[in-house]
Amino acid sequence: MPDHIVKAYDKELESLGRKIAEMGGIAEKMLSDAMDALIDFDTRLAQATVDSDPRLDLLQRDIEEQAILTIARRQPMAVDLREIIATIRISGDLERIGDLAKNIAKRAIKLAGEMHIPRATIGLRSMHESAAMLLKEVLDAYAERDAEGARAVWIHDADLNALEDSVFRDLLTFMMEDPRNISFCTHLLYVSKNIERIGDHATNIAETVVYLVTGETLPMDRPKGRTTLSEAPTRVV
Amino acid sequence: MPDHIVKAYDKELESLGRKIAEMGGIAEKMLSDAMDALIDFDTRLAQATVDSDPRLDLLQRDIEEQAILTIARRQPMAVDLREIIATIRISGDLERIGDLAKNIAKRAIKLAGEMHIPRATIGLRSMHESAAMLLKEVLDAYAERDAEGARAVWIHDADLNALEDSVFRDLLTFMMEDPRNISFCTHLLYVSKNIERIGDHATNIAETVVYLVTGETLPMDRPKGRTTLSEAPTRVV
């Protein structure tokens, strides 16, 4: 490409990268605020979390459109094309993480009038810490194009899934102990599933980072029953 | 474009459309088989459902790669570009519908040893019928490029969400009646959430069909707390 086109192209890539970073920051804050709102019965913070979701949706659409126009205009090949495809995929996962955090915030609003069972939320706090760490790790791995860091996220997600199993059993026990716990604990079951799915999306992003850096899919099975290497298509791009 | 390039390009679009149709057929069958497996405690059918998911994942990757290569090679504009973007988006939603059906099938396997409460599954059957109808409607709307048909899906999804609310209340009641119902009903709560989310993905596809046909986002709010028109970015592509 002529030099001035290369520069315009670099600017487009930079702009995409900046938008991903902004999305990552919003998603991290939404998760953290939603969990604080849930634990502290803070409906105002919960509503603020819900209100910040449209910004994430807007950024995702922006990234998708800009990425596709860049592909059409510049016809990039190999690593550059992977760079752009990665922004489309990662923005999709971050948008879904925001949706899941929004779901937790909405549930915090619903639960504001219900009987609180503090010991029932202990496991959720651990799950939240684990998911927040995964999200931070994978955003760092993307920023630094660090395939090793991304592989670590993939493995740590298995810990989060194990935590969810344990939370599920605990919540079931509380419900069986006292029927008055059933409604509250049922809502927490959904929250734990939302956090687990945030971990799944962090893992998807990790997979995208490895693909971006190496051009390959991850050479190991996913920790949970997702697509394994033997089933996954080899990516041609 | 020269004639022979136009023909090659049409073939690429046709091939993408065929793959979407295949994905749609697999997703419909997975949903129906997963629900039959759950209701009939048929672990063999449940396992077959789980086993058919990798094909859906493979098709999605295929479509994404082929679509992006087509954009890079042909630099399509306006309606043709929308056609290709639509295949990327729809394949993503169909892949997720398959994941959700797989989750139901896995739960059917888990529940095979548990005490069965037939009246607890009645509401789920209605939800299944409603979701299956949504999925059929939206696949037809895509095949016929029918924006009106797609808009109907959007509205019908509100019925599915109302059904889920009612199933949620019923299951909570069964749990409170008898603690021995708690474990089984908790699993069914997750199933109802999976079906509801299948409806959300059908609605996403409906939105994509309207965008494909008209170039616009839907001129109404989404039935549930998703992105509303006032929040949604106007698509520039």
Side-chain angles (χ1 to χ4, degrees):
Chain A
M1 285 194 250
D3 198 46
H4 68 281
I5 293 183
V6 171
K7 273 184 192 150
Y9 179 58
D10 281 348
K11 273 195 184 164
E12 284 172 16
L13 285 186
E14 263 175 45
S15 157
L16 285 169
R18 262 199 314 277
K19 282 176 185 162
I20 292 282
E22 186 184 347
M23 284 190 81
I26 294 173
E28 283 187 310
K29 184 165 168 17
M30 283 180 76
L31 171 61
S32 149
D33 286 351
M35 288 303 295
D36 285 347
L38 182 81
I39 305 284
D40 303 335
F41 283 77
D42 184 343
T43 52
R44 191 180 295 184
L45 183 60
Q47 189 56 50
T49 308
V50 171
D51 293 343
S52 61
D53 190 51
R55 173 72 189 151
L56 214 49
D57 294 343
L58 188 100
L59 280 164
Q60 192 216 345
R61 285 285 160 82
D62 247 28
I63 288 170
E64 193 187 59
E65 283 166 9
Q66 192 186 334
I68 285 168
L69 288 175
T70 302
I71 293 172
R73 256 199 306 258
R74 314 285 180 204
Q75 302 183 272
M77 280 295 136
V79 68
D80 283 341
L81 189 49
R82 289 210 305 271
E83 187 77 44
I84 298 172
I85 293 170
T87 64
I88 297 176
R89 289 187 184 154
I90 293 173
S91 69
D93 282 304
L94 289 173
E95 190 270 331
R96 297 195 61 81
I97 289 173
D99 270 352
L100 292 161
K102 184 180 70 174
N103 286 351
I104 296 172
K106 281 184 175 174
R107 221 164 270 284
I109 295 171
K110 262 190 201 162
L111 283 176
E114 297 233 6
M115 190 182 70
H116 198 181
I117 310 157
R119 64 183 174 138
T121 58
I122 293 170
L124 286 182
R125 292 173 207 221
S126 307
M127 285 187 73
H128 169 218
E129 274 169 32
S130 169
M133 193 194 70
L134 285 177
L135 191 50
K136 185 183 179 315
E137 275 182 348
V138 82
L139 290 170
D140 288 349
Y142 172 66
E144 291 156 24
R145 304 294 187 265
D146 174 5
E148 280 313 304
R151 285 194 177 91
V153 170
W154 198 315
I155 292 161
H156 290 157
D157 185 45
D159 300 337
L160 179 58
N161 293 332
L163 267 176
E164 197 233 338
D165 282 346
S166 139
V167 165
F168 177 80
R169 281 192 303 270
D170 287 348
L171 290 174
L172 236 57
T173 306
F174 296 143
M175 291 197 261
M176 287 174 187
E177 273 173 19
D178 185 343
R180 286 172 299 176
N181 295 343
I182 288 177
S183 175
F184 186 76
C185 288
T186 300
H187 285 292
L188 297 191
L189 276 175
Y190 285 126
V191 172
S192 80
K193 188 50 89 180
N194 286 335
I195 302 177
E196 189 229 308
R197 287 178 53 221
I198 287 174
D200 284 344
H201 286 289
T203 307
N204 288 349
I205 297 175
E207 190 181 2
T208 301
V209 171
V210 172
Y211 157 74
L212 167 61
V213 177
T214 67
E216 286 161 24
T217 50
L218 277 180
M220 52 180 117
D221 285 3
R222 299 200 63 153
K224 253 186 61 181
R226 309 286 295 268
T227 307
T228 60
L229 187 71
S230 62
E231 299 157 353
T234 309
R235 295 193 180 160
V236 299
V237 170
Chain B
M1 284 194 251
D3 198 47
H4 68 280
I5 292 183
V6 172
K7 273 183 191 151
Y9 179 58
D10 281 348
K11 271 194 186 165
E12 283 172 17
L13 284 187
E14 264 174 45
S15 157
L16 284 169
R18 263 201 313 278
K19 282 177 186 163
I20 291 283
E22 185 183 348
M23 285 190 80
I26 294 173
E28 282 187 310
K29 186 166 167 17
M30 283 180 75
L31 171 60
S32 149
D33 286 351
M35 287 303 296
D36 285 348
L38 182 81
I39 306 285
D40 304 335
F41 283 76
D42 183 342
T43 52
R44 191 180 295 184
L45 183 60
Q47 188 57 51
T49 308
V50 172
D51 292 343
S52 61
D53 190 52
R55 173 74 189 147
L56 215 48
D57 294 342
L58 188 100
L59 279 164
Q60 192 217 346
R61 284 287 158 83
D62 247 29
I63 288 170
E64 192 187 60
E65 283 166 8
Q66 192 186 333
I68 283 168
L69 288 175
T70 302
I71 292 172
R73 256 199 306 257
R74 312 286 179 204
Q75 303 182 274
M77 280 295 135
V79 67
D80 282 344
L81 189 49
R82 289 212 303 273
E83 188 77 44
I84 297 172
I85 292 170
T87 63
I88 297 176
R89 288 187 184 154
I90 294 173
S91 69
D93 283 304
L94 289 172
E95 189 271 330
R96 298 196 61 82
I97 289 173
D99 270 351
L100 291 161
K102 184 180 68 176
N103 285 351
I104 296 172
K106 281 184 175 173
R107 220 163 271 283
I109 295 171
K110 263 190 201 163
L111 282 175
E114 297 235 5
M115 189 183 69
H116 197 181
I117 310 159
R119 64 181 175 140
T121 58
I122 294 171
L124 286 182
R125 290 173 209 221
S126 306
M127 286 188 72
H128 169 219
E129 275 170 32
S130 170
M133 192 194 71
L134 285 177
L135 191 50
K136 187 185 178 315
E137 275 181 349
V138 82
L139 291 170
D140 287 350
Y142 172 67
E144 292 156 25
R145 304 294 187 266
D146 174 5
E148 280 314 304
R151 283 194 178 92
V153 170
W154 198 315
I155 291 160
H156 290 157
D157 185 45
D159 300 338
L160 178 58
N161 292 332
L163 268 176
E164 197 233 338
D165 282 345
S166 137
V167 165
F168 178 79
R169 281 192 303 270
D170 288 349
L171 290 174
L172 235 57
T173 306
F174 297 144
M175 290 197 260
M176 287 175 188
E177 274 173 19
D178 186 343
R180 283 172 301 175
N181 294 343
I182 288 177
S183 174
F184 186 75
C185 289
T186 300
H187 285 292
L188 296 192
L189 277 176
Y190 285 126
V191 172
S192 81
K193 188 51 87 181
N194 286 334
I195 302 176
E196 190 229 308
R197 287 178 53 218
I198 288 174
D200 284 344
H201 286 290
T203 307
N204 288 349
I205 297 175
E207 189 181 4
T208 301
V209 172
V210 172
Y211 157 76
L212 167 60
V213 177
T214 68
E216 286 161 24
T217 49
L218 276 180
M220 55 180 117
D221 285 2
R222 300 200 63 153
K224 253 186 57 181
R226 309 285 296 268
T227 306
T228 61
L229 187 72
S230 62
E231 299 158 351
T234 309
R235 293 190 180 163
V236 299
V237 171

